Amino acid sequence: MATRGGRKSRAIELQGSVRLTVGGDDLGGAARIGLLRAVAEQGSITHGAKAAGISYKAAWDAIDAMNTLAGAPLVERSTGGRGGGSTRLTARGEQLVQRFAQIEAVHDRFVRLLSEEGLDLSQEFDVMRMLNVKTSARNQLTGTVSGYKAGAVNDEVELTLSGGARIVAVVTRTSTEQLGLKLGATAFALVKASSVLLATGLDGVRLSARNQIPGTVTAVTPGAVNAEVVLDIGGGASLAAVVTQASTDTLGLAVGQQAVAIFKASSVILGTTL
């Protein structure tokens, strides 16, 4: 491990916790859910509080607050009988404890993954790779919303990739609002390889297609009818296009050659992950 000034350097780590709220009011987190679990196991608020390491009053106040906020009792007490009564969780309380455990397990795995992937400052932060998002679209590109133009029905949204390339998409106003596509937001663009055209020698040529991204051919996979051509567009990002084998031969597309990927703004699907 590297040292600095005689002291060992330690890796930056991410921490996080799950809390439940109702209308903005705090229902509780791991401590309160742990108290519910302890009450269920002990059959008593007194013994549950002791197991949770808190006073009876603190336990009762917490349970009373949770019962009120949850909209239905989570804990109920019965009186009478040989044992003098008991305390147990209601069906809703049991469901809440079980569901919180499931959510917390997923949350812990996500925070651990986010810490491992996102805090390695030497690597580009790739949200799509981190979340292992899988789609049928060959091109999956992550970037930052850098431009926005509102329309009566559709909006035009510009996404800047890490290498500087810019992608423009046309989406409905409803989609813009639901996805939270505001300036500075992280989003990803999906483009089918079959929607991408390739061209060379476009100096002075004007096209109506909104997206015209230059790059360098890094791979050509020939086929009987079509070929797949991959362009490096900078910043570790690439674009794949499926073109006819005849077009590949006519354009002379080969590794190392410069080409331009062309696709309409309407061919871009935008999405967000968080």
Side-chain angles (χ1 to χ4, degrees), residues 17-19 26-39 48-49 51-54 58-59 62-63 66 100 104:
S17 60
V18 178
R19 297 202 68 81
D26 187 22
L27 180 65
R32 280 190 171 181
I33 298 299
L35 172 61
L36 293 181
R37 187 179 297 108
V39 169
I54 60 176
I63 290 173
M66 283 189 285
F100 186 89
E104 193 171 42

Side-chain angles (χ1 to χ4, degrees), residues 2-271:
T3 61
R4 185 174 182 178
R7 298 175 59 186
K8 290 184 177 180
S9 62
R10 293 178 295 178
I12 301 173
E13 296 182 350
L14 186 67
Q15 300 291 328
S17 60
V18 178
R19 297 202 68 81
L20 304 174
T21 62
V22 178
D25 294 324
D26 187 22
L27 180 65
R32 280 190 171 181
I33 298 299
L35 172 61
L36 293 181
R37 187 179 297 108
V39 169
E41 293 173 350
Q42 300 295 327
S44 160
I45 295 179
T46 300
H47 293 110
K50 184 177 181 180
I54 60 176
S55 68
Y56 173 84
K57 184 179 186 308
W60 171 250
D61 288 345
I63 290 173
D64 185 51
M66 283 189 285
N67 278 342
T68 301
L69 284 174
L74 303 177
V75 176
E76 60 183 6
R77 305 176 71 178
S78 61
T79 59
R82 179 176 297 180
S86 62
T87 302
R88 65 184 182 86
L89 299 187
T90 63
R92 184 175 176 81
E94 292 176 350
Q95 290 172 344
L96 182 63
V97 170
Q98 293 173 359
R99 184 56 52 83
F100 186 89
Q102 295 170 339
I103 292 173
E104 193 171 42
V106 174
H107 174 267
D108 289 345
R109 289 197 298 271
F110 177 74
V111 170
R112 184 169 60 253
L113 177 62
L114 188 60
S115 181
E116 293 171 353
E117 296 287 341
L119 293 180
D120 184 354
L121 303 183
S122 64
Q123 300 293 327
E124 187 67 31
F125 186 53
D126 189 338
V127 177
M128 295 288 283
R129 179 174 60 83
M130 186 197 74
L131 295 180
N132 194 28
V133 176
K134 296 181 179 180
T135 73
S136 61
R138 181 69 172 82
N139 299 298
Q140 305 175 19
L141 305 163
T142 303
T144 302
V145 176
S146 55
Y148 171 78
K149 184 183 297 183
V153 178
N154 294 325
D155 296 336
E156 183 179 273
V157 181
E158 179 187 74
L159 200 66
T160 297
L161 309 183
S162 59
R166 299 192 175 194
I167 292 178
V168 176
V170 173
V171 297
T172 64
R173 170 63 59 82
T174 300
S175 294
T176 301
E177 295 174 350
Q178 290 180 342
L179 294 173
L181 295 172
K182 300 178 181 179
L183 292 176
T186 298
F188 59 85
L190 304 178
V191 186
K192 290 184 178 181
S194 57
S195 298
V196 180
L197 303 178
L198 294 181
T200 58
L202 287 180
D203 294 341
V205 177
R206 295 183 179 182
L207 301 172
S208 63
R210 195 69 175 84
N211 296 292
Q212 303 173 37
I213 303 176
T216 303
V217 177
T218 57
V220 178
T221 305
V225 178
N226 295 324
E228 182 184 80
V229 181
V230 180
L231 295 187
D232 178 358
I233 59 175
S238 62
L239 265 174
V242 173
V243 297
T244 65
Q245 188 63 55
S247 295
T248 303
D249 297 336
T250 300
L251 294 173
L253 295 173
V255 174
Q257 182 182 347
Q258 299 299 305
V260 178
I262 303 168
F263 50 95
K264 296 180 179 180
S266 58
S267 296
V268 182
I269 296 175
L270 293 183

